[in-house]
Amino acid sequence: MKKQPAIFLDRDDTLNIDVSYTYKVSDFDWVRGAPEALKLFSKVGLDVFIVTNQGGIGRGLYAESDMHHFNDHLIAEAAALGGHIKDIAFCPHHPEAVISTLRTPCLCRKPGHQMITRLAEKWSVDLATSVMIGDRDSDVAAGRAAGCHAYLFDGTDLHELAKHVINQHFSNLRVPACR
Ligand SMILES: [Zn+2]
């Protein structure tokens, strides 16, 4: 299988507004331009993955099942607006985790690269031509550590950044014409 480029996205404050350790579906709200960005990536044929630090699990603030419930909601909301999220990787670890098995140094918690590299292996992603986008320096560091291009999102409008990223790196991909 030929490796393909992909888009890796942070979740909280990149796709959905972060209310701090966000996990309640009732708190779900899009960051400006996020659904349009997801739709655009799907339209040009790029696979989209979410890579999210979920230290709140290790800290005992919510359960892994709560996170999956939230993620499923996000995926469904995106799909309803034309965006496709192929897979999600999460890191439940935290240096101050109350759950001892999750209080461990790991390579998956961003700025570690392992969530990205594991998804790449699973889905045959070409990291060198892929892009990581997130609102924190740790997102950029993780993307670079994985060998991707990386962009810091300033929180204003993800659709604008998505258009810029496609112009910079995927100008060979074309939005299919309407018919
Ligand atoms: Zn981890």
Side-chain angles (χ1 to χ4, degrees):
M1 187 170 162
K2 189 176 182 297
K3 288 186 178 182
Q4 301 288 343
I7 304 292
F8 295 94
L9 298 171
D10 169 52
R11 197 192 78 178
D12 296 333
D13 271 348
T14 298
L15 290 173
N16 58 277
I17 290 170
D18 187 19
V19 298
S20 182
Y21 294 106
T22 307
Y23 72 94
K24 291 181 188 159
V25 167
S26 57
D27 286 330
F28 176 80
D29 198 5
W30 289 114
V31 165
R32 184 184 171 89
E36 294 86 355
L38 291 170
K39 184 178 177 180
L40 179 59
F41 290 137
S42 293
K43 261 186 155 178
V44 299
L46 287 164
D47 286 339
V48 173
F49 300 99
I50 295 175
V51 287
T52 178
N53 283 354
Q54 291 295 325
I57 297 171
R59 302 189 80 164
L61 300 173
Y62 50 88
E64 187 179 319
S65 57
D66 295 321
M67 178 207 63
H68 288 304
H69 187 50
F70 186 93
N71 288 349
D72 289 347
H73 181 77
L74 190 156
I75 288 170
E77 290 286 311
L81 298 168
H84 180 62
I85 293 157
K86 190 162 182 133
D87 203 353
I88 299 181
F90 68 97
C91 166
H93 307 114
H94 194 280
E96 292 160 30
V98 295
I99 299 168
S100 59
T101 51
L102 299 178
R103 190 172 55 240
T104 173
C106 67
L107 294 173
C108 43
R109 183 176 169 79
K110 294 175 286 186
H113 59 76
Q114 210 168 65
M115 288 192 283
I116 298 173
T117 48
R118 280 182 181 160
L119 283 170
E121 205 164 301
K122 180 177 173 185
W123 293 103
S124 290
V125 174
D126 179 37
L127 288 170
T129 54
S130 294
V131 175
M132 168 75 204
I133 299 171
D135 68 303
R136 295 192 181 200
D137 291 337
S138 54
D139 294 314
V140 172
R144 292 202 176 128
C148 302
H149 305 285
Y151 285 81
L152 187 66
F153 173 48
D154 67 4
T156 52
D157 187 334
L158 193 64
H159 189 208
E160 290 304 314
L161 181 55
K163 285 190 272 189
H164 175 73
V165 163
I166 285 174
N167 281 334
Q168 290 292 308
H169 301 284
F170 305 106
S171 53
N172 57 319
L173 302 176
R174 289 277 175 263
V175 176
C178 299
R179 53 181 158 172

